[in-house]
Amino acid sequence: MPEGNSNAGGAANLQNEALPKTVYKDFLMEIATANVWVASMSGPVATGYVLLLGASEFEFGLMASIGSLAGISAPVFSYFVDRFAKKKKLTLFACLPVRLIQFLMAAIPLLIFYKIMPNPLLFYLALVVIMSFFNVFSGQAWFSWMGEIIPAKQRGYYFGRRSFVGGAVGMIFAVIAGMFMDGFSNKHFAFSSLFLFGSIFSMIAYYYFTRLPEAK
């Protein structure tokens, strides 16, 4: 276990020292809570959701390609990130819209069920496009931020632990999400409930982001 004092702001930017314990804990808690969110709203769950919306094979393929298309914007965002001094502030700004949009995702199944939304697939597609570009933006900012606060000589250790924790949590909650969906006969309410659960965890993960230090 890494050691260090509890002054997160002062020691986190010392590239040859271990992360303070409080920063290390928040670093792992962020990925753990974020992967509860991801397991609840992506992968097989997202596939079932898109099918519920009535997507054709072409529309399904189109939505699957949006992430790759948004990736083309990475050099533009990278150029902007390099010129912004406060990487934490930039990351928090870029991450927040995606998390707020998750709550709209949770509302769509109910709007369909009550026949309030005439074209939910188009609305969903628009949200996916917006989130994809913000994900690229936040990803560029996050990697730059982490490069400044994670000790250079121990990045393998910290990111290895992070990957292990995130992968374990994601695997467990992916199974739980599938079992939850199987237990509901009304899939509209099932998706809405599961997405609301995931949205709440997206904000918990955001909270742990706010606890991580800005580079000094």
Side-chain angles (χ1 to χ4, degrees):
M1 173 69 79
E3 296 181 354
N5 63 54
S6 60
N7 187 346
N13 66 323
L14 299 179
Q15 293 295 288
N16 293 320
E17 296 184 7
L19 282 178
K21 291 181 180 179
T22 54
V23 178
Y24 177 68
K25 182 190 73 173
D26 293 336
F27 181 68
L28 295 183
M29 286 299 297
E30 186 278 323
I31 190 60
T33 51
N35 275 20
V36 174
W37 160 39
V38 171
S40 302
M41 304 187 70
S42 64
V45 174
T47 300
Y49 184 59
V50 171
L51 293 175
L52 179 72
L53 297 181
S56 66
E57 291 183 2
F58 170 76
E59 290 166 332
F60 187 83
L62 180 63
M63 281 185 279
S65 67
I66 290 175
S68 298
L69 178 64
I72 298 174
S73 64
V76 177
F77 288 130
S78 179
Y79 178 85
F80 179 74
V81 168
D82 285 344
R83 281 151 184 76
F84 199 91
K86 300 294 184 180
K87 300 300 192 297
K88 174 181 177 177
K89 183 177 181 179
L90 188 62
T91 303
L92 293 177
F93 168 79
C95 284
L96 187 57
V98 175
R99 284 157 167 76
L100 295 178
I101 287 174
Q102 304 304 307
F103 289 93
L104 293 178
M105 293 287 194
I108 292 176
L110 295 181
L111 297 176
I112 297 172
F113 182 78
Y114 290 111
K115 297 180 172 55
I116 298 175
M117 182 174 288
N119 196 338
L121 189 60
L122 182 61
F123 183 63
Y124 177 79
L125 180 62
L127 293 182
V128 170
V129 170
I130 295 170
M131 287 193 301
S132 295
F133 280 95
F134 270 104
N135 277 331
V136 174
F137 183 18
S138 62
Q140 295 288 321
W142 181 83
F143 276 112
S144 181
W145 178 26
M146 292 300 105
E148 292 180 346
I149 69 172
I150 301 298
K153 293 183 178 180
Q154 301 179 50
R155 285 174 189 163
Y157 173 83
Y158 288 121
F159 283 104
R161 286 293 184 92
R162 180 181 170 87
S163 296
F164 174 80
V165 170
V169 171
M171 179 179 64
I172 292 169
F173 274 89
V175 174
I176 293 174
M179 295 172 62
F180 177 82
M181 292 300 301
D182 285 343
F184 269 81
S185 57
N186 187 319
K187 297 305 179 185
H188 293 88
F189 282 91
F191 276 113
S192 183
S193 300
L194 186 60
F195 281 16
L196 179 60
F197 175 80
S199 299
I200 291 171
F201 268 86
S202 77
M203 296 307 298
I204 296 174
Y206 187 83
Y207 163 74
Y208 281 109
F209 259 155
T210 66
R211 289 174 54 88
L212 294 174
E214 179 71 84
K216 299 296 182 179

